[in-house]
C-alpha cells in the first residue's frame, strides 16, 4: 500500500497558476501508475491527468494545454502544474496510485488515495 499526501492547493484568481505536489511512500517497486483526480460539489469524481510508470502522461480534454503531470522516478513524488486556471477547475484534488504499467482514467482502478487538497479559482 502506497501512502500519499497532497499539498499546494489554495485560492487564486482566474488565469493564475498553482503547482500541486503528492509525496509518496511505501512503494514496493517502481511499477506504479499514478494520477490526479478532482471532485466539485454536486459532481462525480473525474480524472484530471494520469501518468504511466514510464512517465507518459494522459489528460482530460478540459485541461489539455494548461496542466502538466510529472513525477520524480526516484522518490515517487507526483506533480501537477496548473496554468491559466479557470473557475471550473475548482474542486478537491486527490492523488492516487495503483500497481501496474499503464494508467487508466477510471478512478475505481486506483487503490491508494491521498486525503486531498482544495483548489478554488475565482472569476
Amino acid at each position: 500500500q502506497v501512502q500519499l499526501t497532497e499539498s499546494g492547493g489554495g485560492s487564486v484568481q482566474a488565469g493564475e497558476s498553482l503547482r500541486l505536489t503528492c509525496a509518496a511512500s511505501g512503494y514496493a517497486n517502481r511499477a506504479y501508475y499514478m494520477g490526479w483526480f478532482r471532485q466539485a460539489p454536486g459532481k462525480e469524481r473525474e480524472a484530471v491527468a494520469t501518468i504511466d510508470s514510464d512517465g507518459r502522461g494522459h489528460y482530460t480534454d478540459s485541461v489539455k494545454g494548461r496542466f502538466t503531470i510529472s513525477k520524480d522516478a526516484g522518490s515517487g513524488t507526483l506533480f501537477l502544474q496548473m496554468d491559466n486556471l479557470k473557475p471550473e477547475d475548482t474542486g478537491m484534488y486527490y492523488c492516487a496510485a495503483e500497481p501496474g504499467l499503464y494508467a487508466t482514467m477510471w478512478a475505481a482502478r486506483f487503490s491508494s488515495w491521498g486525503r486531498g487538497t482544495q483548489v478554488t479559482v475565482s472569476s
Side-chain angles (χ1 to χ4, degrees):
Q1 187 80 7
V2 178
Q3 294 179 314
L4 306 171
T5 304
E6 305 95 335
S7 62
S11 297
V12 298
Q13 294 290 114
E16 296 182 342
S17 298
L18 286 171
R19 177 176 290 177
L20 305 184
T21 298
C22 174
S25 63
Y27 283 96
N29 54 55
R30 298 168 61 184
Y32 281 78
Y33 58 83
M34 305 181 72
W36 289 97
F37 295 77
R38 68 187 178 192
Q39 188 166 21
K43 298 183 66 177
E44 295 184 353
R45 185 174 300 185
E46 66 170 345
V48 177
T50 61
I51 189 165
D52 297 336
S53 62
D54 65 358
R56 184 165 65 99
H58 312 270
Y59 302 88
T60 192
D61 287 344
S62 64
V63 308
K64 288 180 179 177
R66 299 189 298 119
F67 291 10
T68 303
I69 188 170
S70 61
K71 66 179 177 66
D72 182 284
S75 67
T77 303
L78 186 70
F79 304 94
L80 184 67
Q81 178 66 42
M82 305 186 294
D83 295 323
N84 192 23
L85 283 160
K86 302 177 179 180
E88 53 263 42
D89 295 318
T90 293
M92 184 71 73
Y93 282 69
Y94 300 90
C95 175
E98 176 69 15
L101 297 176
Y102 306 110
T104 177
M105 300 290 277
W106 187 28
R109 290 295 306 275
F110 290 80
S111 59
S112 297
W113 292 85
R115 296 175 63 187
T117 184
Q118 179 68 37
V119 172
T120 302
V121 185
S122 301
S123 61

